Amino acid sequence: MPDKLPYYITTAISYPNGKPHIGHAYELIATDAMARFQRLDGRDVFFLTGTDEHGQKMQQTARAEGIDPSELAERNSNEFREMGRLLNASNDDFIRTTEPRHHEACREIWNRMADNGDIYKDSYAGWYSVRDEAFYQEGETEVRDDGVRYGPQGTPVEWVEEESYFFKLSAYEEKLLKHYSDKPDFIGPAERRNEVISFVKSGLKDLSISRTTFDWGIKVPNDPAHVMYVWVDALTNYVTATGYLTDKNGPRAKYWPADAHIIGKDIIRFHAVYWPAFLMSAGLPLPKRVFAHGFLLNKGEKMSKSLGNVVDPVNLVNHFGLDQVRYFFLREVSFGQDGSYSEEAIGTRINADLANGIGNLASRSLSMIVKNCDGKIPEPGEFSEEDRAILASADSLLETCREEMEKQLIHRAVAAVIGLVSETDRYFAGQAPWALKKTDPERMATVLYVTAEIVRQIAILLQPYMPDASAKLLDLVAAPADKRDFSSLGEAGRLVPGTVLDAPTPVFPRYVAPETGA
Ligand code: ME8
């Protein structure tokens, strides 16, 4: 058997200056779905997430709390790890930028960029946003009515003047533009690609990549008065975790370059401009794709601590159930666009697509089998045209899902699977097996076989998005443990007549809103 093809996917690493919020949960759930999809599709997946623990923002938050930045990082990093467990994230590693392996990798990438002649010392004077950990050109900032100057992301900026190392970003303008044009899939979605290209075309200035006015960071090699700019440190995490920089023959080196970095749209510039330039400078291969998802809005409003609508993912999961929440975000939000959510919208989705949809289809068809076919998967008779048509729809669904997932259009992959549920509902209603029970029991058995077989395929295809609920559905059709990946879709894994089924238990209860009792 040939070796499985490696597939490396990452989330951004989050700032542990506070607890994780729903935006962090969203990114992790989406990336987890992509990682699970590739694993089920036979790839050797390495999925990485973690925390970005250095920088001025961390130092300032820690000071305000009267604790050491390392204590703040430790406490909140654990919260992020815990959130991963709660969300059933299947990450293979969790990186913390305070780990020695990461310090080593950062020194290595710095030295390589320096050896390439891309780092020089000068002094920096300009605007800096601590909240974004980003330098901005004066033209990107504006003074608002409150007299405060803000950057393009709406966060306050402050004037910074200090000695600093610079990276010759300006030398990479043409190389980056060539890369975007040679590799049109490097940045997604199209809006972000256009945004990045026009940013680069407007001219790149050299980038300040060290700070001297605080010390919570990774020391610059041979100049300990400087710590590396937190984004040099942060972006390098993706290579650190593979060991590629420090041990090219190590067990995980094969995963570099990454297949996909999944990040939010606010940090596209760092990932699609700075990061490839650093890598080119260090002589390292570039990631294949950077995909920026949109922002989650609470009932259409931007989440903010002052509005009090920064929803705690733990509460949401406790209230609606994990797979219900996963499903909602993955199906409801067009991946790559902003998305709004509300309790009403989550409840509506749960009832329409899950309880009345796949849940109902599975329980109706399987309970008929248990009652009318001796509790065993029935032997089908000859397939009618309708049977063949619906089986063909199911058998070809993987191809559709692959095409969508390749472009990170998660919502469209999920919609395609749910579309098959509706098609099967119509098939089931049209064939009316309950009526056939008296008139043509053999035909009833065939219809039930076909329906159960489709439930099996739907359950296999839903695993990336709702791992636990799909496993329950697969238990209901008694799919063997080794026949649950995508190679068992279609003819390869057809239900075996005679297999004993237990009476189905509900997988998706209806959601009843507590306030209204509706
Ligand atoms: O940016 N909706 O960390 P972070 C959707 N440490 N996504 C959101 C969101 C929202 N409301 N709010 C944040 C950082 N995110 C850096 C990354 S990577 C080398 C370093 C996303 O904790 C955000 O876009 O501010 C980012 O992808 C991730 O959450 C972490 O954000």
mmCIF file of all heavy atoms in Angstrom, residues 123-129 134-138 141 149 157-162 166 208 211:
data_model
loop_
_atom_site.group_PDB
_atom_site.id
_atom_site.type_symbol
_atom_site.label_atom_id
_atom_site.label_comp_id
_atom_site.label_asym_id
_atom_site.label_seq_id
_atom_site.Cartn_x
_atom_site.Cartn_y
_atom_site.Cartn_z
ATOM 1 N N SER A 123 16.471 52.948 13.046
ATOM 2 C CA SER A 123 15.551 53.294 14.126
ATOM 3 C C SER A 123 14.166 53.463 13.534
ATOM 4 O O SER A 123 14.019 53.857 12.373
ATOM 5 C CB SER A 123 16.013 54.540 14.863
ATOM 6 O OG SER A 123 15.910 55.632 14.000
ATOM 7 N N TYR A 124 13.177 53.100 14.348
ATOM 8 C CA TYR A 124 11.799 53.120 13.874
ATOM 9 C C TYR A 124 11.082 54.291 14.493
ATOM 10 O O TYR A 124 11.216 54.578 15.686
ATOM 11 C CB TYR A 124 11.078 51.817 14.243
ATOM 12 C CG TYR A 124 9.629 51.844 13.793
ATOM 13 C CD1 TYR A 124 9.308 51.577 12.464
ATOM 14 C CD2 TYR A 124 8.603 52.159 14.675
ATOM 15 C CE1 TYR A 124 7.999 51.633 12.018
ATOM 16 C CE2 TYR A 124 7.280 52.211 14.244
ATOM 17 C CZ TYR A 124 6.994 51.950 12.913
ATOM 18 O OH TYR A 124 5.701 52.005 12.476
ATOM 19 N N ALA A 125 10.283 54.969 13.706
ATOM 20 C CA ALA A 125 9.396 55.996 14.239
ATOM 21 C C ALA A 125 8.092 55.864 13.471
ATOM 22 O O ALA A 125 8.068 55.993 12.253
ATOM 23 C CB ALA A 125 9.992 57.377 14.036
ATOM 24 N N GLY A 126 7.033 55.550 14.176
ATOM 25 C CA GLY A 126 5.764 55.374 13.464
ATOM 26 C C GLY A 126 4.661 54.941 14.400
ATOM 27 O O GLY A 126 4.817 54.899 15.628
ATOM 28 N N TRP A 127 3.504 54.605 13.807
ATOM 29 C CA TRP A 127 2.308 54.258 14.579
ATOM 30 C C TRP A 127 2.235 52.772 14.837
ATOM 31 O O TRP A 127 2.535 51.964 13.945
ATOM 32 C CB TRP A 127 1.047 54.727 13.837
ATOM 33 C CG TRP A 127 1.019 56.213 13.680
ATOM 34 C CD1 TRP A 127 1.279 56.933 12.551
ATOM 35 C CD2 TRP A 127 0.734 57.164 14.722
ATOM 36 N NE1 TRP A 127 1.174 58.276 12.815
ATOM 37 C CE2 TRP A 127 0.845 58.450 14.133
ATOM 38 C CE3 TRP A 127 0.416 57.064 16.092
ATOM 39 C CZ2 TRP A 127 0.631 59.618 14.862
ATOM 40 C CZ3 TRP A 127 0.196 58.224 16.805
ATOM 41 C CH2 TRP A 127 0.306 59.493 16.200
ATOM 42 N N TYR A 128 1.816 52.428 16.045
ATOM 43 C CA TYR A 128 1.721 51.009 16.418
ATOM 44 C C TYR A 128 0.419 50.771 17.168
ATOM 45 O O TYR A 128 0.038 51.545 18.045
ATOM 46 C CB TYR A 128 2.898 50.618 17.328
ATOM 47 C CG TYR A 128 3.010 49.125 17.528
ATOM 48 C CD1 TYR A 128 3.524 48.320 16.519
ATOM 49 C CD2 TYR A 128 2.561 48.511 18.704
ATOM 50 C CE1 TYR A 128 3.612 46.944 16.671
ATOM 51 C CE2 TYR A 128 2.645 47.129 18.861
ATOM 52 C CZ TYR A 128 3.175 46.356 17.843
ATOM 53 O OH TYR A 128 3.253 45.004 17.994
ATOM 54 N N SER A 129 -0.265 49.696 16.792
ATOM 55 C CA SER A 129 -1.454 49.297 17.550
ATOM 56 C C SER A 129 -1.107 48.094 18.404
ATOM 57 O O SER A 129 -0.758 47.031 17.869
ATOM 58 C CB SER A 129 -2.604 48.927 16.607
ATOM 59 O OG SER A 129 -3.537 48.111 17.308
ATOM 60 N N ALA A 134 0.413 45.603 15.443
ATOM 61 C CA ALA A 134 0.719 45.905 14.040
ATOM 62 C C ALA A 134 1.205 47.340 13.888
ATOM 63 O O ALA A 134 0.733 48.247 14.570
ATOM 64 C CB ALA A 134 -0.520 45.690 13.178
ATOM 65 N N PHE A 135 2.158 47.509 12.958
ATOM 66 C CA PHE A 135 2.630 48.845 12.580
ATOM 67 C C PHE A 135 1.765 49.339 11.437
ATOM 68 O O PHE A 135 1.467 48.578 10.521
ATOM 69 C CB PHE A 135 4.079 48.770 12.085
ATOM 70 C CG PHE A 135 5.052 48.286 13.119
ATOM 71 C CD1 PHE A 135 5.430 46.945 13.160
ATOM 72 C CD2 PHE A 135 5.573 49.156 14.056
ATOM 73 C CE1 PHE A 135 6.329 46.484 14.115
ATOM 74 C CE2 PHE A 135 6.484 48.706 15.008
ATOM 75 C CZ PHE A 135 6.852 47.368 15.038
ATOM 76 N N TYR A 136 1.391 50.599 11.481
ATOM 77 C CA TYR A 136 0.604 51.151 10.381
ATOM 78 C C TYR A 136 1.255 52.407 9.830
ATOM 79 O O TYR A 136 1.892 53.168 10.559
ATOM 80 C CB TYR A 136 -0.829 51.465 10.845
ATOM 81 C CG TYR A 136 -1.623 50.231 11.202
ATOM 82 C CD1 TYR A 136 -2.101 50.029 12.493
ATOM 83 C CD2 TYR A 136 -1.892 49.261 10.233
ATOM 84 C CE1 TYR A 136 -2.838 48.891 12.813
ATOM 85 C CE2 TYR A 136 -2.622 48.120 10.553
ATOM 86 C CZ TYR A 136 -3.092 47.942 11.842
ATOM 87 O OH TYR A 136 -3.806 46.810 12.154
ATOM 88 N N GLN A 137 1.044 52.636 8.542
ATOM 89 C CA GLN A 137 1.472 53.881 7.906
ATOM 90 C C GLN A 137 0.500 54.971 8.356
ATOM 91 O O GLN A 137 -0.676 54.680 8.579
ATOM 92 C CB GLN A 137 1.338 53.769 6.383
ATOM 93 C CG GLN A 137 1.790 52.467 5.809
ATOM 94 C CD GLN A 137 3.128 52.590 5.120
ATOM 95 O OE1 GLN A 137 3.489 53.674 4.669
ATOM 96 N NE2 GLN A 137 3.859 51.516 5.070
ATOM 97 N N GLU A 138 1.013 56.195 8.390
ATOM 98 C CA GLU A 138 0.167 57.294 8.853
ATOM 99 C C GLU A 138 -1.141 57.356 8.057
ATOM 100 O O GLU A 138 -2.220 57.576 8.607
ATOM 101 C CB GLU A 138 0.923 58.626 8.742
ATOM 102 C CG GLU A 138 0.068 59.790 9.173
ATOM 103 C CD GLU A 138 0.788 60.738 10.120
ATOM 104 O OE1 GLU A 138 1.715 60.296 10.827
ATOM 105 O OE2 GLU A 138 0.397 61.901 10.141
ATOM 106 N N THR A 141 -4.169 55.517 9.208
ATOM 107 C CA THR A 141 -4.760 55.853 10.511
ATOM 108 C C THR A 141 -5.614 57.104 10.376
ATOM 109 O O THR A 141 -5.494 57.834 9.392
ATOM 110 C CB THR A 141 -3.660 56.121 11.555
ATOM 111 O OG1 THR A 141 -2.972 57.323 11.193
ATOM 112 C CG2 THR A 141 -2.670 54.975 11.639
ATOM 113 N N ARG A 149 -6.272 58.606 17.819
ATOM 114 C CA ARG A 149 -5.927 58.123 16.475
ATOM 115 C C ARG A 149 -6.128 56.606 16.403
ATOM 116 O O ARG A 149 -5.707 55.875 17.310
ATOM 117 C CB ARG A 149 -4.472 58.486 16.157
ATOM 118 C CG ARG A 149 -4.059 58.193 14.723
ATOM 119 C CD ARG A 149 -2.629 58.603 14.459
ATOM 120 N NE ARG A 149 -2.469 60.045 14.347
ATOM 121 C CZ ARG A 149 -2.600 60.724 13.195
ATOM 122 N NH1 ARG A 149 -2.867 60.104 12.076
ATOM 123 N NH2 ARG A 149 -2.443 62.042 13.188
ATOM 124 N N VAL A 157 -3.962 53.590 18.014
ATOM 125 C CA VAL A 157 -2.524 53.441 17.725
ATOM 126 C C VAL A 157 -1.737 54.421 18.586
ATOM 127 O O VAL A 157 -2.271 55.436 19.028
ATOM 128 C CB VAL A 157 -2.210 53.683 16.226
ATOM 129 C CG1 VAL A 157 -2.820 52.604 15.364
ATOM 130 C CG2 VAL A 157 -2.677 55.063 15.766
ATOM 131 N N GLU A 158 -0.483 54.102 18.830
ATOM 132 C CA GLU A 158 0.378 55.008 19.602
ATOM 133 C C GLU A 158 1.673 55.220 18.832
ATOM 134 O O GLU A 158 2.059 54.389 18.002
ATOM 135 C CB GLU A 158 0.645 54.433 20.990
ATOM 136 C CG GLU A 158 1.377 53.096 20.980
ATOM 137 C CD GLU A 158 1.468 52.466 22.375
ATOM 138 O OE1 GLU A 158 0.459 52.526 23.119
ATOM 139 O OE2 GLU A 158 2.542 51.932 22.704
ATOM 140 N N TRP A 159 2.305 56.344 19.115
ATOM 141 C CA TRP A 159 3.559 56.663 18.435
ATOM 142 C C TRP A 159 4.697 55.873 19.077
ATOM 143 O O TRP A 159 4.820 55.843 20.302
ATOM 144 C CB TRP A 159 3.836 58.170 18.525
ATOM 145 C CG TRP A 159 5.026 58.596 17.723
ATOM 146 C CD1 TRP A 159 6.251 58.925 18.186
ATOM 147 C CD2 TRP A 159 5.074 58.717 16.308
ATOM 148 N NE1 TRP A 159 7.079 59.252 17.138
ATOM 149 C CE2 TRP A 159 6.385 59.129 15.966
ATOM 150 C CE3 TRP A 159 4.154 58.506 15.269
ATOM 151 C CZ2 TRP A 159 6.797 59.348 14.653
ATOM 152 C CZ3 TRP A 159 4.561 58.720 13.963
ATOM 153 C CH2 TRP A 159 5.871 59.142 13.662
ATOM 154 N N VAL A 160 5.503 55.241 18.257
ATOM 155 C CA VAL A 160 6.622 54.443 18.764
ATOM 156 C C VAL A 160 7.896 54.961 18.110
ATOM 157 O O VAL A 160 7.925 55.192 16.898
ATOM 158 C CB VAL A 160 6.420 52.956 18.379
ATOM 159 C CG1 VAL A 160 7.672 52.147 18.655
ATOM 160 C CG2 VAL A 160 5.244 52.352 19.121
ATOM 161 N N GLU A 161 8.914 55.171 18.924
ATOM 162 C CA GLU A 161 10.208 55.592 18.375
ATOM 163 C C GLU A 161 11.284 54.829 19.100
ATOM 164 O O GLU A 161 11.438 54.980 20.309
ATOM 165 C CB GLU A 161 10.393 57.101 18.645
ATOM 166 C CG GLU A 161 10.407 57.921 17.373
ATOM 167 C CD GLU A 161 10.699 59.397 17.652
ATOM 168 O OE1 GLU A 161 11.885 59.768 17.666
ATOM 169 O OE2 GLU A 161 9.723 60.124 17.864
ATOM 170 N N GLU A 162 11.982 53.966 18.408
ATOM 171 C CA GLU A 162 13.032 53.208 19.090
ATOM 172 C C GLU A 162 13.971 52.568 18.077
ATOM 173 O O GLU A 162 13.643 52.463 16.888
ATOM 174 C CB GLU A 162 12.413 52.127 20.010
ATOM 175 C CG GLU A 162 11.569 51.104 19.279
ATOM 176 C CD GLU A 162 10.771 50.201 20.232
ATOM 177 O OE1 GLU A 162 11.395 49.418 20.943
ATOM 178 O OE2 GLU A 162 9.537 50.286 20.236
ATOM 179 N N PHE A 166 15.195 45.855 11.059
ATOM 180 C CA PHE A 166 14.221 45.905 9.969
ATOM 181 C C PHE A 166 14.389 44.695 9.062
ATOM 182 O O PHE A 166 15.498 44.198 8.872
ATOM 183 C CB PHE A 166 14.415 47.174 9.136
ATOM 184 C CG PHE A 166 13.817 48.394 9.778
ATOM 185 C CD1 PHE A 166 14.500 49.044 10.809
ATOM 186 C CD2 PHE A 166 12.581 48.874 9.386
ATOM 187 C CE1 PHE A 166 13.946 50.154 11.418
ATOM 188 C CE2 PHE A 166 12.022 49.981 9.986
ATOM 189 C CZ PHE A 166 12.699 50.629 11.012
ATOM 190 N N SER A 208 9.630 46.844 10.620
ATOM 191 C CA SER A 208 10.349 46.802 11.887
ATOM 192 C C SER A 208 10.089 45.435 12.529
ATOM 193 O O SER A 208 8.941 45.024 12.692
ATOM 194 C CB SER A 208 9.828 47.932 12.780
ATOM 195 O OG SER A 208 10.253 47.714 14.105
ATOM 196 N N ARG A 211 11.775 44.923 18.996
ATOM 197 C CA ARG A 211 11.368 45.976 19.937
ATOM 198 C C ARG A 211 12.354 45.993 21.103
ATOM 199 O O ARG A 211 12.909 44.954 21.464
ATOM 200 C CB ARG A 211 9.953 45.687 20.476
ATOM 201 C CG ARG A 211 8.851 45.523 19.422
ATOM 202 C CD ARG A 211 8.523 46.817 18.698
ATOM 203 N NE ARG A 211 8.214 47.908 19.607
ATOM 204 C CZ ARG A 211 6.988 48.164 20.097
ATOM 205 N NH1 ARG A 211 5.964 47.434 19.744
ATOM 206 N NH2 ARG A 211 6.794 49.169 20.924
#
